[in-house]
Amino acid sequence: MQSGDLTSDYFKLFALPVSFDIDDKVLAERYRELQRAVHPDRFVNASDAERRLSMQLATRVNEGFRTLKDPLARARYLLEFKGVVLDDTDTRLDSGFLMQQIELRERMGAVKGATDAGQRLHELRDAIRTLERQLVDELASLFAAGSPQALQQARDASRKLQFFHRLGEELAQLEDELAMS
Amino acid sequence: MALLQISEPGQTAAPHQHKLAAGIDLGTTNSLVATVRSGLAEILPDENGKHLLPSVVRYRLGLPPQVGEEARAALTEDPHNTISSVKRFMGRGLADICKGCSCSEYDFAENTGSDSTVPRIRTVAGDISPVEASAEILKILKARAEKTLGGELTGVVITVPAYFDDAQRQATKDAAQLASLTVLRLLNEPTAAAVAYGLDRKSEGVHVVYDLGGGTFDISILRLNRGVFEVMSTAGNTALGGDDFDRTIAQWLAEQAGLGTEMTVHKMRVLRAEACRAKEALSAVESVSVSVSRDDGSVWQGELDREQLNILIDPLIQKTLSPCRRALRDAGIELDEIEDVVMVGGSTRSPRVREQVGEFFHCDVLVDIDPDKVVAVGAAIQADILVGNKPDNEMLLLDVIPLSLGIETMGGLVEKVIPRNATIPCAKAQEFTTFKDGQTALAVHVVQGERELVSDCRSLARFELRGIPPMVAGAARIRVTFQVDADGLLSVTAREQASGVESSVQVKPSYGLSDSEIEQMLRDSMAHAEEDVAARNLREMQVEAGRAIEAVESALVTDANLLSAGERARLDAALEDLRVQAEGSDHVHIKQAIETLNAASDDFAARRMDAGIHAAMAGHKLEEFS
């Protein structure tokens, strides 16, 4: 027993063109339509086989939505789709970027204990968001260009985005800590 | 003249058979059962017209347990045999329960003999696990529903706090099994409340559900769009609720009356009852008189006003706001995007709670539906849909897993496998390898929680993979798949990749009942009811056969065109065989016939699912070429 849609790629599953540029609204709409067709709640009275398949497909649709919705996950998925190897152990990045990361981390370190911690946190989050948005724009044009060099650059850009992602997570943790104290 | 009934082409001609389904709110303080009749959801009352069943069970020597009002009346006179707020103990270990400081009220049995880690409360009727006590409450609600509706329930939806972890959900499902209930779905309480409010009929938007019950707190943020409830994030605290308000007020009373810190369980319960009474009265009036009798027989009399009450409960309300902040952040939304806040749970009757929550979210709080009943109503609506009474209903609930799932790695650290707030069902495969040459087994420890250290997370289960072929260290590739189903329950499968050996997985729940324990309890309860085990097995298998036949038949009505003549003949033969067997009295034969039918319909199922997806995406195919 095999359902073809368990193995098809996410773009095909969501009937979307293979592209980094995705309309969030269209994606969310497709997601709801797909879940209406496959969600386990629709198969409570179905045969065992259909219930099992429904869970597998709903899982796949959720995973696809999660991947395509998030720019970082989408970029990584698209790179793999295009045959670009993502080596997470390779962490070489240009020194300008690394300097910027160090600076942002220093700012984060200074938040705790500061009298205006809330304000600093807010500013830092805004700064990170702006930089993230720039990277996402950069990724969009690189994927649009599509040449082998452009894809290599997209790989670097996605790696940078990953740094911001982690930074964002740590910032959230810091926010929790500040809220507790 | 009677009108002729003509069915729509393609639809089943058989008159739509209404199935009996119910929604159950298994609460910390009170439990309720509701059902949809003539299109309206209603709470079912007991013979005295009471809707709320107090979640209290009193065990007696040689007599069946008392549940509800009678049991609650015995709380102070028979404290050791009368169990209240049992929901707080569900899926918990003794250490967790003691952290919540309520273990002193009960005499917990030492774990002797069995390797079970489930805490058991010592009563005159034996040692009772929280699952068994909950099952007693469910049995009463089941009987109430079946008596009112005049038939056996096909299935129920039971609600659980959104922030319940896997062990707590599993314990709830086990209790349902003990009460002989078929669970259609475990539904998160805030989501049930959103359904009851009919938020899906409103325009697209973001809504918050703030659910402060007797013992648990949940916050859920949902986005609604044309019948789809999409939970964006959830957070909470499964050990925070109205009980804590009572405890805090009781402590204040004890101080005011000059009572010492040493107190009998009886005294504690009297104080708490007085605290609860005062708290509830203060929702309507500004001040209330309170009294406490001292050990020497004298009586302390005093006043508790709203101002003092607010001072006492404000820290507890504040404690609910940090999960609110986290849920907002996880959902990635700003305050100005929120339409309104739905208030659920008895504790949201408190004017102070309403005021503080409205202030925090900068928007209106919805209190139109009785906060004690709203969850059961939502559960009943969902049960009615799931059981198949509303085939054209477009409502769909997409919920999330509240806490991250992870596994223990070297040094007692947690490696997250599935992040919190992932939409369920969801799955993740993880590869493991061996540490030593020739290693043939691997132990995996599954935990749930957000912290980095295993010791700070909830231990869910430990399992061992056996039968790994001996290889050099690091050569084996064991792929472990974690699947969380639509009830939010985890299952684990494992496979050695290099050799293709399917490793056996034995999950031992950290604080749950094992399958054999549940089976034994079922047997015991049947022996009690003097019911014939064989007859019961047969009946259950016949119900299962009926379900299987109906599932395939209804699939054939709509999608018979997906089958070749040969496949159709094979399926028809399997159907016929099962029909014949189901008439017989051998449950093993029926089981085999069900399995044959399942095998014969596997491919059909896959084709139907694919057809369903293609139909859903049919209008969009052109865009692939744009």
Side-chain angles (χ1 to χ4, degrees):
Chain A
M1 175 189 64
Q2 183 62 282
S3 164
D5 292 293
L6 276 177
T7 47
S8 70
D9 68 77
Y10 295 146
F11 296 106
K12 208 168 155 196
L13 183 63
F14 284 79
L16 287 166
V18 179
S19 162
F20 183 76
D21 258 326
I22 285 183
D23 183 333
D24 287 347
K25 277 221 168 86
V26 173
L27 177 68
E29 189 56 40
R30 299 279 158 87
Y31 170 65
R32 287 191 288 267
E33 286 171 25
L34 281 171
Q35 282 297 12
R36 266 194 222 281
V38 302
H39 195 273
D41 281 359
R42 302 259 157 195
F43 294 89
V44 170
N45 303 301
S47 67
D48 284 359
E50 282 185 19
R51 278 187 292 167
R52 199 169 51 239
L53 272 173
S54 146
M55 184 172 74
Q56 290 170 348
L57 279 165
T59 296
R60 176 97 183 138
V61 169
N62 278 333
E63 182 65 36
F65 184 49
R66 210 179 160 79
T67 305
L68 296 184
K69 193 173 54 172
D70 171 47
L72 174 59
R74 185 166 73 236
R76 289 175 64 89
Y77 183 73
L78 197 53
L79 284 167
E80 274 184 347
F81 191 85
K82 303 251 182 207
V84 178
V85 180
L86 294 165
D87 182 2
D88 284 334
T89 55
D90 178 6
T91 51
R92 283 169 299 169
L93 284 165
D94 59 85
S95 55
F97 175 77
L98 292 173
M99 285 303 290
Q100 184 194 51
Q101 283 291 313
I102 291 168
E103 190 226 333
L104 287 168
R105 282 182 178 280
E106 279 172 353
R107 276 176 69 182
M108 190 157 78
V111 168
K112 230 182 187 176
T115 47
D116 55 346
Q119 180 63 21
R120 281 170 182 243
L121 200 76
H122 198 72
E123 283 170 14
L124 188 55
R125 195 169 44 201
D126 279 350
I128 291 174
R129 272 191 196 157
T130 307
L131 290 164
E132 265 181 325
R133 222 167 291 139
Q134 282 168 8
L135 271 174
V136 172
D137 289 345
E138 192 184 324
L139 276 167
S141 51
L142 286 168
F143 276 116
S147 67
Q149 295 100 309
L151 290 180
Q152 285 304 319
Q153 284 171 314
R155 188 187 64 164
D156 288 345
S158 76
R159 206 181 278 154
K160 288 178 183 172
L161 197 55
Q162 203 157 13
F163 271 85
F164 282 111
H165 194 81
R166 267 183 226 136
L167 212 55
E169 277 176 0
E170 284 170 42
L171 205 64
Q173 232 161 33
L174 182 63
E175 207 178 327
D176 276 347
E177 281 173 41
L178 286 178
M180 295 285 196
S181 61
Chain B
M1 193 182 81
L3 289 173
L4 289 176
Q5 289 189 318
I6 297 174
S7 65
E8 233 178 278
Q11 280 196 343
T12 167
H16 183 60
Q17 199 197 347
H18 187 85
K19 287 181 178 158
L20 301 182
I24 293 178
D25 174 2
L26 184 60
T28 309
T29 318
N30 294 299
S31 296
L32 301 95
V33 60
T35 196
V36 174
R37 277 200 288 188
S38 319
L40 282 177
E42 52 179 317
I43 308 281
L44 301 177
D46 67 5
E47 55 269 29
N48 301 318
K50 290 249 168 74
H51 289 116
L52 271 56
L53 176 75
S55 304
V56 186
V57 185
R58 181 193 186 191
Y59 285 89
R60 299 178 295 174
L61 190 61
L63 287 167
Q66 284 178 324
V67 181
E69 214 60 69
E70 281 174 305
R72 191 170 66 173
L75 262 176
T76 44
E77 71 182 68
D78 189 17
H80 293 295
N81 297 310
T82 311
I83 306 172
S84 68
S85 298
V86 68
K87 190 174 183 177
R88 288 196 154 194
F89 306 152
M90 293 291 270
R92 290 281 182 237
L94 201 51
D96 296 313
I97 293 171
C98 291
K99 246 187 273 167
C101 74
S102 43
C103 66
S104 52
E105 276 177 58
Y106 300 103
D107 186 8
F108 280 93
E110 298 291 324
N111 275 312
T112 48
S114 82
D115 57 353
S116 169
T117 47
V118 176
R120 285 186 165 79
I121 298 163
R122 220 169 253 158
T123 74
V124 284
D127 298 345
I128 304 295
S129 69
V131 168
E132 287 165 286
S134 297
E136 294 301 334
I137 298 167
L138 289 173
K139 280 179 201 168
I140 299 291
L141 296 173
K142 176 179 193 263
R144 185 190 288 183
E146 293 185 339
K147 196 174 161 209
T148 318
L149 301 175
E152 205 170 314
L153 288 173
T154 303
V156 294
V157 166
I158 300 180
T159 59
V160 289
Y163 213 56
F164 251 20
D165 64 32
D166 185 83
Q168 292 167 305
R169 282 166 201 269
Q170 189 59 58
T172 306
K173 218 172 173 182
D174 290 346
Q177 198 190 338
L178 267 186
S180 302
L181 283 167
T182 303
V183 179
L184 300 166
R185 185 70 72 234
L186 293 180
L187 177 60
N188 288 333
E189 287 160 9
T191 313
V195 170
Y197 265 90
L199 293 180
D200 55 322
R201 289 192 297 275
K202 291 195 172 187
S203 56
E204 179 176 357
V206 177
H207 304 262
V208 172
V209 182
Y210 179 99
D211 180 356
L212 188 59
T216 56
F217 169 66
D218 277 337
I219 181 87
S220 280
I221 299 176
L222 301 95
R223 188 186 290 282
L224 294 158
N225 192 299
R226 275 177 250 164
V228 179
F229 292 69
E230 198 185 326
V231 178
M232 303 166 81
S233 67
T234 196
N237 186 338
T238 50
L240 177 64
D243 282 5
D244 300 289
F245 287 24
D246 296 349
R247 205 168 287 138
T248 309
I249 300 164
Q251 214 173 341
W252 180 82
L253 287 173
E255 282 163 20
Q256 298 300 306
L259 301 184
T261 44
E262 287 290 304
M263 227 180 284
T264 61
V265 176
H266 171 80
K267 185 81 208 162
M268 215 152 66
R269 288 212 168 145
V270 170
L271 267 177
R272 233 179 270 166
E274 177 69 354
C276 184
R277 186 191 62 81
K279 173 190 77 176
E280 287 178 5
L282 283 172
S283 290
V285 298
E286 287 295 323
S287 177
V288 64
S289 52
V290 281
S291 66
V292 174
S293 54
R294 301 195 184 93
D295 290 340
D296 60 9
S298 66
V299 175
W300 171 84
Q301 288 247 332
E303 287 284 314
L304 178 61
D305 60 12
R306 269 201 195 170
E307 201 179 325
Q308 181 58 45
L309 176 75
N310 292 348
I311 292 170
L312 292 172
I313 66 174
D314 269 357
L316 293 167
I317 301 173
Q318 282 300 318
K319 256 175 108 172
T320 68
L321 298 182
S322 82
C324 291
R325 266 182 221 109
R326 208 188 73 183
L328 280 172
R329 200 181 54 221
D330 283 358
I333 58 153
E334 302 295 332
L335 282 173
D336 56 14
E337 294 175 68
I338 298 168
E339 308 275 327
D340 44 38
V341 183
V342 171
M343 300 295 268
V344 188
S347 305
T348 62
R349 283 215 174 79
S350 156
R352 186 63 168 181
V353 172
R354 291 180 180 180
E355 179 190 311
Q356 299 263 300
V357 172
E359 217 166 87
F360 179 84
F361 286 105
H362 303 294
C363 64
D364 292 340
V365 295
L366 300 181
V367 293
D368 313 54
I369 308 183
D370 184 338
D372 283 325
K373 295 177 180 166
V374 60
V375 166
V377 166
I381 295 171
Q382 171 73 338
D384 193 46
I385 293 170
L386 292 185
V387 85
N389 287 338
K390 288 206 176 112
D392 301 324
N393 194 287
E394 288 284 280
M395 190 178 95
L396 184 64
L397 311 182
L398 301 171
D399 228 307
V400 300
I401 175 171
L403 294 148
S404 304
L405 283 170
I407 41 176
E408 177 171 353
T409 60
M410 292 287 175
L413 295 176
V414 179
E415 161 100 7
K416 285 199 179 133
V417 179
I418 293 177
R420 70 166 185 249
N421 291 320
T423 307
I424 52 175
C426 55
K428 177 82 182 280
Q430 187 93 21
E431 283 206 347
F432 294 90
T433 191
T434 45
F435 183 64
K436 280 187 185 155
D437 289 347
Q439 189 177 338
T440 58
L442 198 78
V444 179
H445 184 198
V446 187
V447 298
Q448 193 162 24
E450 308 311 318
R451 307 283 293 275
E452 280 171 26
L453 291 175
V454 165
S455 50
D456 293 332
C457 288
R458 292 269 306 146
S459 170
L460 288 187
R462 290 173 191 275
F463 63 87
E464 287 187 359
L465 308 175
R466 298 194 169 277
I468 302 167
M471 285 181 245
V472 290
R477 286 276 170 274
I478 300 126
R479 195 174 172 80
V480 179
T481 306
F482 299 82
Q483 171 83 56
V484 180
D485 67 15
D487 289 323
L489 289 172
L490 172 72
S491 62
V492 187
T493 49
R495 189 182 164 83
E496 204 290 300
Q497 297 289 90
S499 64
V501 169
E502 196 84 32
S503 301
S504 63
V505 181
Q506 273 199 328
V507 179
K508 185 175 168 292
S510 301
Y511 300 111
L513 296 164
S514 67
D515 287 349
S516 60
E517 277 177 297
I518 291 172
E519 200 170 311
Q520 189 55 46
M521 284 176 184
L522 270 171
R523 272 174 204 286
D524 291 350
S525 71
M526 273 184 250
H528 232 49
E530 285 168 13
E531 196 177 347
D532 185 359
V533 177
R536 194 188 167 82
N537 280 343
L538 177 63
R539 242 194 70 63
E540 277 181 356
M541 205 49 80
Q542 281 169 334
V543 169
E544 186 58 33
R547 237 183 58 81
I549 291 169
E550 204 186 306
V552 174
E553 276 178 344
S554 76
L556 282 171
V557 169
T558 46
D559 293 312
N561 58 327
L562 297 173
L563 292 169
S564 71
E567 288 166 332
R568 176 67 196 256
R570 202 158 65 91
L571 203 53
D572 281 340
L575 268 173
E576 190 47 36
D577 181 49
L578 179 54
R579 273 193 209 102
V580 173
Q581 295 297 345
E583 294 291 312
S585 58
D586 188 336
H587 83 271
V588 179
H589 282 157
I590 303 175
K591 191 166 186 234
Q592 283 164 352
I594 293 174
E595 277 160 13
T596 311
L597 178 65
N598 283 345
S601 61
D602 262 10
D603 283 338
F604 184 37
R607 268 178 246 165
R608 262 168 54 79
M609 297 298 295
D610 284 352
I613 290 179
H614 295 145
M617 292 291 103
H620 310 308
K621 287 298 172 196
L622 275 178
E623 293 185 35
E624 278 184 72
F625 306 102
S626 65

